[in-house]
Amino acid sequence: MSDENLCPGEPPAEGLTVGRTAGLVGVSVKTLHHWDAIGLVRPGGRTRAGYRVYGDDDVARLHRVLVYREIGLPLAAIGRLLDDPEVDAREHLRRQRGQLAGRISRLERMVGAVDRMLLESKPGIRLTPEEQVEIFGADWEPARTEEAEERWGGTAQWAQYAERAAAMDRDDWEGVAAAVEALSADLAAAYRTGVAPGSEAADALAERHRAQISTYFDCTYAMQVCIGRTFVTDPGYVAHYDAVAPGLGGWLYEVIAANAGAHGVDPESAVRE
């Protein structure tokens, strides 16, 4: 029988078996046996059958060993620290805390450097999140790009977007943002004045909209229709266009569909190419 269990009928020991102690402090039984062998932490109690068990003081010592080991001390140094009455444990911990704080600061700087490298090397918009908000407006959410990648990342259109966006600098994006704002204002004005889908003025706006999408990837009439559908089905797009003018998204889809129909595309059956 191993020392992991008491003998049948034996009363409970005043302490914990090796197995239970290992589970309590989060180390392996093998580790406890090793620490026992080198005299770092020895179980101080025994069952009536002679099996060794860990008492409260032993468990407390184990926890101190784990703390010292976590901050990088070798086992020999931990043993001296625990057993030498002249060692000021609190002062030692304060020094170790200072070293850890310095290490954390260095690691945070390294994480920041890696984040910048990822941003610079990732296909797509080569702008920081702060620059994106500055250029595209306070309601812009940088996470939209990641959401779009999750949704469209495997498509040919996304590959085109990533290639084109990676070649654009801040001036290019500022031009795009200005064009988006101008088109949005013109769409809202046309909607409010009752411009009818299928009219010459509406078709011209539909073509401007398609050209704007083509900044990122080649946009066919069928693709534009598929994108336009999201203006009435996707809550995010609905809210975006409603913020400009309530109902604008639905009207814009009708404008896109009418213009696509004039170019031989059936809006009802159009699919993404």
Side-chain angles (χ1 to χ4, degrees):
M1 177 183 296
S2 73
D3 61 353
E4 303 303 309
N5 300 286
L6 300 176
C7 291
E10 182 181 358
E14 290 297 326
L16 298 171
T17 63
V18 175
R20 290 182 179 178
T21 303
L24 175 67
V25 301
V27 299
S28 67
V29 170
K30 183 178 180 180
T31 294
L32 290 185
H33 284 319
H34 175 63
W35 290 355
D36 181 6
I38 65 175
L40 184 60
V41 184
R42 287 176 171 158
R46 289 186 180 273
T47 68
R48 291 178 59 187
Y51 297 115
R52 304 175 72 183
V53 292
Y54 291 82
D56 291 343
D57 290 343
D58 303 324
V59 174
R61 184 180 174 98
L62 281 171
H63 282 299
R64 294 175 67 189
V65 169
L66 292 173
V67 170
Y68 287 130
R69 191 177 67 163
E70 184 67 25
I71 62 179
L73 287 181
L75 294 181
I78 294 174
R80 290 193 300 270
L81 185 62
L82 294 178
D83 296 331
D84 188 344
E86 296 185 2
V87 172
D88 187 341
R90 289 181 60 83
E91 177 59 28
H92 187 84
L93 284 173
R94 279 193 289 268
R95 289 200 303 271
Q96 289 295 327
R97 187 187 186 283
Q99 294 176 11
L100 285 173
R103 188 186 307 174
I104 290 171
S105 179
R106 290 193 297 274
L107 289 174
E108 287 178 341
R109 291 196 297 272
M110 291 175 64
V111 168
V114 171
D115 284 343
R116 289 191 295 273
M117 291 172 64
L118 286 171
L119 181 64
E120 292 171 359
S121 63
K122 182 177 180 179
I125 299 177
R126 294 189 297 112
L127 299 172
T128 66
E130 293 78 11
E131 288 174 327
Q132 291 180 43
V133 171
E134 182 180 345
I135 293 172
F136 302 133
D139 61 341
W140 171 258
E141 298 176 11
R144 289 176 182 171
T145 302
E146 294 183 4
E147 293 172 1
E149 183 174 8
E150 290 179 3
R151 185 173 183 181
W152 307 109
T155 65
Q157 288 78 18
W158 181 266
Q160 268 192 333
Y161 159 77
E163 181 179 357
R164 294 179 184 181
M168 296 170 66
D169 59 19
R170 183 184 177 108
D171 289 342
D172 294 325
W173 285 114
E174 288 178 344
V176 168
V180 169
E181 184 176 357
L183 177 58
S184 180
D186 290 346
L187 288 170
Y191 171 60
R192 292 191 181 101
T193 56
V195 171
S199 65
E200 184 177 348
D203 288 346
L205 289 170
E207 289 296 341
R208 282 177 61 189
H209 179 267
R210 192 168 68 89
Q212 190 174 89
I213 296 174
S214 295
T215 302
Y216 312 112
F217 54 83
D218 298 339
C219 182
T220 63
Y221 291 104
M223 173 61 73
Q224 187 184 21
V225 168
C226 293
I227 293 172
R229 288 183 189 134
T230 65
F231 301 161
V232 292
T233 59
D234 186 297
Y237 279 116
V238 172
H240 167 74
Y241 283 111
D242 278 349
V244 179
L248 177 60
W251 173 83
L252 177 54
Y253 171 64
E254 293 179 6
V255 167
I256 291 170
N259 186 57
H263 288 83
V265 173
D266 178 10
E268 296 298 324
S269 59
V271 295
R272 181 171 59 87
E273 300 170 349

